[in-house]
Amino acid sequence: MMKFKVSGLVADLMPNIRLIQGSGHFMLNYHADNSGALHTLRLGYCCVTLVFMLLQYGCNFVNLVLERGDVNDLAANTITVLFFTHCITKFVYFAVRSKLFYRTLGIWNQPNSHPLFVESNNRYHALALKKMRRLLYIIIVWTSFSAIAWTSITFVGESVHTTKDPENENLTISEPIPRLLVRAWYPWNAMSGMPHMLTLIFQVYYVFFALAHANLLDSLFCSWLIFACEQLQHLKEIMKPLMELSATLDTYVPKSADLFRAPSATSQDNLIENDYNSKNEDLKGVYSTRQELGGHFRGAALQNFGAGGVGPNGLTKKQELMVRSAIKYWVERHKHVVRLVTAIGDAYGVALLLHMLTSTIMLTLLAYQATKITGVDKYAATVIGYLLFALAQVFHFCIFGNRLIEESSSVMEAAYSCHWYDGSEEAKTFVQIVCQQCQKAMSISGAKFFTISLDLFASVLGAVVTYFMVLVQLK
Amino acid sequence: MTIQMIIDRNNVSKVSDSLQYFTTLVTFVWKEIYFVKYKKTFLEIEDVLTASIFYGYSSHHFKLLKDKIGSGHAGGTTFRVLTVAAVGFWGLPPFLDPQKYKTLPIPGWFPYNATEYYYPTFAFQILAVANTAYTNSTLDILSWVLMSIASGQLEMLKETLKSMNYEEADLKTAEEQLQKCVRHHLEIVNLVSKIEKVFSKGIFLQIFASVIVICFTGFLMMLVPVASMKFTHTFTYLACMMCQVAMYCWYGHDVMTTSNTIGDSLYMSNWYESDVKFRKSVFIFLEKTKKPVTLTAGGFVTLSLTTLTTILRSSYSYFAVLRHMFNDV
């Protein structure tokens, strides 16, 4: 048995992963002990969860078919069935495509690093971690709150439904049905007593786990996006020092040791010595900003500069290599982020497409249901609850998708706003190609049909409001 | 068939019955006319495909090309199967359904009494429809496979760009390699423009007709009882039509997205090791690859998945209007 060591994204997302495993998703990696017996046990747990989910979903569906006579009941049951269709879809989708998820989680296992930029990297990494934790807490609170609200609203009001009066065809009477969270058909009589209690508990488990399945996967997706955005922020931040470092290639270069020592407040005059360049009188003012450069170069590895021959531009070989390696680090890190975003899109794109399909139909029906609200009662509360939950789910991933688009398109601005005109020819062509590449923003698409952004959320919200207005007019 | 439609124009359901085949037939005739008209350009396509720039790659590259052509063939086979099923289901009702004995599959007006010469007329109709369906599907599959060849070539170009190693190469070899890639790109753009020239107007008419056919077929499906043979046939026909227009949009979209990512695959190589002088040529190449290679229908409708959703949405709205009209009548 190998010693279990987590790194990269897996280490960052461990609480997320543990919750996902706890809720019964088919994520069977990332355990310290993956021996045969424990693995089978975990697999068994997942399969049992799947069976329970499908059974209850089947009961819901049977109920839908049985009660299709009454239009109101049909609409309400269809909404419930669609809601849980989405949860089951996410569950099955993960089980089927778990390899892509593992690949995405493993992409950041070996990131490159550069001594100059370690501090910035760690800072943004910590920021990403904080945001991911915060998101996870919000999701947990929201899911638990929804489940508790659903359970409590079951006990409010009458538990009846209307059917045709057997004596008089035109009248409807109300007939009592079991007081349960979701209307479902059971082969046993769940009206009262022990069966009712057990069924109620089973339904609470079902609702809570179904909500958890859907929301936890969404939060995993959004955590990945948070990480990618923070990496882009890191890249934007190190662009300026990189430019200024590369400015030393062609223009003035101070004594190598001075470059990497924190300058004291009084020694500004001594910092810049015109040993090799004669035409730098006008640049003296610019390079008094050595302080900010000095702040980045405190690594111990840089102390032994000064050895080695002098290059053609007045730079030592080591300095030239340092600049080249910094550019290489930047480009490789950016390429790594692009690879991560592509992997995220491959892993989750189809799930988003299916989500949007079910949500669209469900929201249309909810708009229809909303026109029948006649005051503040249980019906209004349930309809508004469904509506808010569905819209919140769509908003959840739209906002992070939008942030990714914004961050990736602002890399070009960062590249332009650093002092590229001071840089060497090599740095300028580097900026040129980076600007070219970053003109097109990185975005997640729902299997190529649409892009995930706040525009999508706005169009969904607009469509719901439009249907509602039209249906209210038609009434 | 035209005369029958004119006679029955007040009865919406009967009109829609013949209208679907009529539209398909008319579209097919027009596609054939355009294909024959641009025969010379089609032969030019064949010449372009034999250009040496498209050959001389490693087997790894060819695997990419083969995958794309494979997917083109898969789409084509699915469509063929659907057409055969549609023609089969359409020919069978007169034999299997006792109510419809001695009725012809396509309602038409003939200058003689159709029931007397039933079998020859039936055979004539079956042959005519089978022939039309086969040739129509061949034309479509031809254009799809050509589009998938273009996108396969683009994939090969991307692979070459991604695997160029600038660390060891000196300026001269790097420049030569880039020149080869630029010429490859130009040839692919040339190929796609020729494909567009041959098939574009036909595809435009096809899209237009598909909107009408899908809406009328949907409407017919609503009228016909579920368990009958006619319903199965109408359903297969609807699937056929949707598959046809979806395939055009899919392969066009594929070419567009693949050409969009050429710049990305050059970025994924280790270009930062290259010479500054070389990067200037790279920059000009990247500028050109920013514009995606698109296939258009009739010059203004780009073939992509967004167009597909627009087509389906418009079919649905016409279908809703038709249903409303029918309910009022």
Side-chain angles (χ1 to χ4, degrees), chain A residues 447-466:
Chain A
K448 299 188 215 169
F449 272 93
F450 50 83
T451 9
I452 305 295
S453 70
L454 281 177
D455 288 337
L456 181 70
F457 177 68
S459 70
V460 165
L461 193 62
V464 171
V465 170
T466 317

Side-chain angles (χ1 to χ4, degrees), chain A residues 332 334-335 436-437 439, chain B residues 264 267-268 272 287 290:
Chain A
E332 285 295 332
H334 189 238
K335 277 161 44 172
Q436 271 280 18
Q437 188 59 24
Q439 267 172 7
Chain B
D264 293 346
Y267 189 73
M268 283 297 177
Y272 43 82
E287 277 290 339
K290 272 203 294 204

Side-chain angles (χ1 to χ4, degrees), chain A residues 6-53:
Chain A
V6 284
S7 61
L9 274 173
V10 178
D12 295 340
L13 288 170
M14 210 29 135
N16 224 329
I17 290 176
R18 289 287 176 235
L19 276 174
I20 289 177
Q21 286 170 336
S23 77
H25 270 294
F26 281 85
M27 187 182 271
L28 299 165
N29 284 11
Y30 313 126
H31 289 284
D33 182 7
N34 230 358
S35 65
L38 278 176
H39 178 85
T40 324
L41 203 66
R42 287 185 196 117
L43 189 63
Y45 174 65
C46 296
C47 290
V48 161
T49 323
L50 179 68
V51 164
F52 279 151
M53 291 288 146

Side-chain angles (χ1 to χ4, degrees), chain A residues 282-302:
Chain A
D282 50 335
L283 291 174
K284 232 182 180 155
V286 175
Y287 287 108
S288 66
T289 59
R290 247 339 145 210
Q291 271 109 10
E292 71 182 287
L293 257 187
H296 285 279
F297 301 140
R298 285 196 199 117
L302 309 172

Side-chain angles (χ1 to χ4, degrees), chain A residues 356-472:
Chain A
M356 286 313 296
L357 280 174
T358 25
S359 290
T360 319
I361 307 175
M362 195 170 82
L363 286 166
T364 321
L365 285 170
L366 275 169
Y368 167 65
Q369 289 285 77
T371 57
K372 292 188 280 181
I373 291 180
T374 51
V376 183
D377 60 350
K378 177 178 168 177
Y379 178 73
T382 42
V383 168
I384 295 193
Y386 267 119
L387 206 56
L388 285 176
F389 195 88
L391 284 173
Q393 276 185 325
V394 176
F395 182 71
H396 181 210
F397 58 76
C398 282
I399 198 169
F400 288 107
N402 200 56
R403 182 154 179 246
L404 179 72
I405 295 176
E406 279 175 8
E407 285 293 341
S408 57
S409 49
S410 66
V411 174
M412 195 182 100
E413 268 104 63
Y416 187 72
S417 65
C418 66
H419 299 296
W420 52 267
Y421 37 81
D422 285 335
S424 62
E425 285 306 307
E426 184 162 343
K428 282 187 207 155
T429 48
F430 156 68
V431 168
Q432 202 180 31
I433 295 185
V434 160
C435 279
Q436 271 280 18
Q437 188 59 24
C438 298
Q439 267 172 7
K440 202 173 56 171
M442 287 195 278
S443 64
I444 306 280
S445 77
K448 299 188 215 169
F449 272 93
F450 50 83
T451 9
I452 305 295
S453 70
L454 281 177
D455 288 337
L456 181 70
F457 177 68
S459 70
V460 165
L461 193 62
V464 171
V465 170
T466 317
Y467 290 145
F468 177 69
M469 295 295 183
V470 166
L471 290 168
V472 156

Side-chain angles (χ1 to χ4, degrees), chain B residues 64-81:
Chain B
L64 292 166
L65 184 64
K66 270 209 309 222
D67 286 339
K68 285 283 177 176
I69 297 182
S71 94
H73 278 307
T77 327
T78 328
F79 185 58
R80 266 275 155 74
V81 164

Side-chain angles (χ1 to χ4, degrees), chain B residues 98-219:
Chain B
Q99 286 175 355
K100 288 199 194 273
Y101 189 61
K102 291 263 183 179
T103 55
L104 289 171
I106 299 184
W109 179 86
F110 293 97
Y112 52 87
N113 188 359
T115 42
E116 282 176 20
Y117 299 97
Y118 180 70
Y119 285 108
T121 330
F122 182 75
F124 163 69
Q125 281 205 341
I126 284 272
L127 272 174
V129 170
N131 193 19
T132 321
Y134 189 74
T135 331
N136 200 3
S137 56
T138 316
L139 262 179
D140 291 330
I141 295 175
L142 178 67
S143 56
W144 298 341
V145 173
L146 280 172
M147 285 194 243
S148 56
I149 289 178
S151 84
Q153 284 293 335
L154 282 167
E155 285 282 343
M156 276 168 54
L157 174 65
K158 275 167 59 175
E159 187 63 34
T160 326
L161 284 170
K162 202 158 47 164
S163 55
M164 290 219 283
N165 190 353
Y166 299 97
E167 215 170 330
E168 289 114 31
D170 58 338
L171 181 62
K172 201 157 178 306
T173 19
E175 289 261 336
E176 273 173 26
Q177 278 182 330
L178 185 69
Q179 272 177 28
K180 191 163 173 228
C181 289
V182 170
R183 279 204 303 269
H184 195 182
H185 185 238
L186 283 170
E187 276 300 324
I188 295 173
V189 171
N190 188 19
L191 171 71
V192 168
S193 67
K194 287 210 156 64
I195 294 175
E196 187 177 321
K197 198 164 159 207
V198 175
F199 293 106
S200 164
K201 293 199 178 93
I203 299 177
F204 179 64
L205 277 174
Q206 174 68 51
I207 289 178
F208 193 62
S210 293
V211 171
I212 299 177
V213 170
I214 290 176
C215 122
F216 275 108
T217 318
F219 177 63

